[in-house]
Structures are given as structure tokens and as C-alpha cells.
Amino acid sequence: MDEFELIQNYFNWPLIDPTVELGIGDDAAIFNLDTGYQLVTTTDTLSEGVHFFKDDSPENVAYKSLAVNLSDIAAMGAIAKWFTLAITLPKVDEIWLKKFSESLKETSSKYNVSLIGGDTTRGSLNITITMMGVVEKSKAIKRSGANNGDNIYISGEIGDAALCLKKINEGERPDKAEMVKLNRPIPRLDLGYALNGVASSCIDISDGLEQDLSHIMKASKVGAIIDVQKLPLSQSVVKYIEGNNDWSVPLCGGDDYELCFTAPKNFNSKIINIAKSCKIRITKIGVISDSKNLKIKGYDGHGESYKHF
Ligand SMILES: [Mg+2]
């Protein structure tokens, strides 16, 4: 099978999005932007052996490749629209490709995003997705908008993905729910969009709360005070911490893809309403300070967030 047949067989499904004027098949894709909107774009690569295990299912790999990119669009308060896929394959494995492409198609239709192009090459397994979205002009939520006195919130629960990964690396068998947290993170698109005009800054927690919150602090030139006792944790993470007193799992563990955001204090009731309407747990974990440092109450500083190099 050559490259063109591969694309035709596995990645060229009909698009229903009317904003796509020209999809797969030409030198480039064309899509239409509504006036008054800006294009938001992000790229994430998943490499075998680095971001997923060799024996991970093609369905999970496809899902996660898309979800991590959607999560970045969510963090900007934007609406995800289109994506390209650059896939490097060691060989043409039709069973693997069928499962991968079906999962990609299913996930993209769930989140209403269209595959509009890409590239295929030979090499060790790598999946790069470039996701594009739209946001009303000047309305994107950046990392740089946090102000002294703002509340700091996070969505969902954190630490589960890191705990799952820890168990796998230590030869323990995580339960099914824990595997779902690691392999099927939910991109918080509804929440991100709802926070548009409410949150002063936002980031998705991909590398660990401590590091990702530090990115907000640096970009906003502020500090933060958070309290470990306020972190939203699942029963299994609570149990783990009771046994090990190891707070690095929720503080430094990545892969949760929850949103960490800040908002002015007087927006707290708005945040509570957003949590209700998006049906997502939102927890206030601290406040932005003017110190430029991150103070973590109840944590003595062991553990390190994910470093890419
Ligand atoms: Mg991110």
C-alpha cells in the first residue's frame, strides 16, 4: 500500500463541517474563518516509548493524541475546529491502522473537529497532531492575565494519571478506572469555553500542577499560595497519600489534562455556576500573590514535575 492509498483507506472520511472548503487531497487545506474571530493553533507529538507504551492499544493512542491537543485549545478558551495528522509508522500494519483510524474518527466526531490534512512517513511510531480552533478576537485566555488576589481553581481531580503510571512502572496492576484516567483524559472544552471572559489566566495540567501553575506565575509576573489539603483528589489518590505521605503524585504528576485557572475573587459565584452548567467539579486551591514565589502549604518540596529533556 502506498502513502496515497493509506490516506484514502484510513484517513479520508467525509467531512460535514461547512467551514472546510477543501480538505484532504490537495497541496493544502482551505477553511473559512468567521470575521471577528482569531485562529488558535497548537501542536503535540506522542512518541512510542516516551508518551505511550509499545503495547498500548491503537484506539487509546489515537484518542489520547487528539485529546491532549484538544486540551490545549480548551485552555485558551477557544472552540476546537480542525486538525492535521502527521503519522510516522514503522510499517503498514492494516489491523493497527484500522483500529487507530476508527478511534480517531470517532473521537473527532465526538468533539466536532475535522481532519483536514497531514503527512505519513516511515520511522518509529510517532503521532503529531496540529489542532486549530477559533476564538472571538482578543478573547483568548492567556497564561499572562493572573492578578494579585485572584483565586486559583482546578477542574476535576488530579494525580490519578500519575498514580496509574507509577503503578505500571513499579510492576503493579492499576485497576480499570485508573487506566481510563491515564489513557482517556477528558479535554475540558466546555469548561474552557465557559471560562472565556471569566478566567484571568488558564493552563491545562499536562506536566504537573506545580510546574504548570509556575508557567502562569511566570507569564503573569505574580506568585501563588496553594494548600495541599484543598487539592481535589480521588479515593485512590487519598489512599495512596495516607499510606506514603507522597504529595508529589497530585502536585508533580502530569497527564491529567485538567484546567488550572485564575479568576478575580468577585467571580466566585460565576465559577460555581459554570461548574454546575458544565457538570464538572471545580475546586479553589489557593490565591495569587505578589511574591513571585509558589508557596505550597503542607508540602516540604520533594518531587519534580515532568521534564521533557
Ligand atoms: Mg498545554
Side-chain angles (χ1 to χ4, degrees):
M1 191 186 320
D2 67 22
E3 180 190 355
F4 307 103
E5 285 169 326
L6 192 155
I7 295 163
Q8 200 54 44
N9 290 350
Y10 296 104
F11 298 110
N12 196 9
W13 52 77
L15 296 181
I16 38 167
D17 181 353
T19 61
V20 180
E21 198 171 298
L22 187 61
I24 291 170
D26 213 302
D27 292 292
I30 303 171
F31 47 83
N32 296 307
L33 279 188
D34 289 336
T35 44
Y37 281 79
Q38 287 176 313
L39 184 69
V40 179
T41 180
T42 180
T43 295
D44 250 315
T45 297
L46 264 68
S47 302
E48 184 183 87
V50 181
H51 304 98
F52 59 92
F53 295 104
K54 204 177 166 67
D55 58 356
D56 277 352
S57 75
E59 291 91 341
N60 283 345
V61 173
Y63 175 92
K64 198 165 177 179
S65 305
L66 209 56
V68 299
N69 278 281
L70 289 167
S71 176
D72 277 329
I73 297 288
M76 300 301 292
I79 302 167
K81 296 287 284 180
W82 317 279
F83 68 102
T84 60
L85 166 73
I87 186 164
T88 306
L89 299 161
K91 61 177 191 303
V92 177
D93 176 343
E94 295 209 38
I95 296 167
W96 190 95
L97 270 167
K98 186 169 184 289
K99 289 177 176 170
F100 178 89
S101 68
E102 280 172 3
S103 169
L104 193 73
K105 186 180 174 186
E106 189 193 313
T107 311
S108 61
S109 94
K110 182 176 178 188
Y111 291 104
N112 238 331
V113 287
S114 306
L115 175 61
I116 55 164
D119 194 16
T120 57
T121 44
R122 188 204 290 263
S124 50
L125 185 59
N126 257 288
I127 296 113
T128 298
I129 284 180
T130 299
M131 182 66 66
M132 287 153 273
V134 292
V135 70
E136 234 179 292
K137 204 169 180 343
S138 313
K139 290 279 179 68
I141 312 168
K142 299 175 192 164
R143 295 178 181 181
S144 55
N147 293 302
N148 183 21
D150 283 358
N151 285 333
I152 305 167
Y153 301 88
I154 44 182
S155 66
E157 290 162 349
I158 55 167
D160 295 281
L163 184 60
C164 181
L165 199 59
K166 194 177 166 65
K167 285 186 178 177
I168 295 169
N169 288 333
E170 289 171 1
E172 241 185 279
R173 228 190 147 88
D175 64 36
K176 221 175 164 187
E178 291 170 330
M179 288 300 284
V180 168
K181 292 277 196 167
L182 179 66
N183 290 323
R184 301 256 163 175
I186 300 167
R188 300 300 190 187
L189 285 161
D190 291 351
L191 174 62
Y193 187 63
L195 289 174
N196 200 313
V198 178
S200 51
S201 72
C202 187
I203 191 166
D204 66 326
I205 306 173
S206 54
D207 297 335
L209 173 65
E210 173 258 339
Q211 184 176 156
D212 291 319
L213 178 57
S214 298
H215 291 314
I216 286 185
M217 288 162 39
K218 201 170 173 202
S220 301
K221 300 186 177 71
V222 291
I225 304 163
I226 61 169
D227 185 343
V228 290
Q229 298 301 334
K230 293 194 174 148
L231 297 178
L233 309 173
S234 69
Q235 281 309 310
S236 41
V237 173
V238 168
K239 219 176 111 193
Y240 169 78
I241 292 170
E242 280 171 357
N244 298 273
N245 197 29
D246 176 16
W247 285 95
S248 73
V249 161
L251 282 172
C252 306
D255 276 318
D256 286 310
Y257 298 95
E258 293 296 347
L259 296 184
C260 173
F261 61 95
T262 61
K265 274 199 165 75
N266 57 345
F267 282 1
N268 195 52
S269 58
K270 281 190 186 180
I271 305 286
I272 293 167
N273 287 335
I274 288 170
K276 273 186 205 147
S277 66
C278 293
K279 298 187 179 72
I280 294 174
R281 178 179 181 185
I282 296 179
T283 309
K284 186 191 152 201
I285 60 157
V287 288
I288 292 293
S289 68
D290 58 4
S291 72
K292 304 236 166 72
N293 297 318
L294 175 59
K295 185 166 186 249
I296 306 175
K297 289 185 193 166
Y299 177 61
D300 61 5
H302 296 297
E304 215 180 58
S305 291
Y306 183 72
K307 299 276 187 296
H308 296 256
F309 294 99

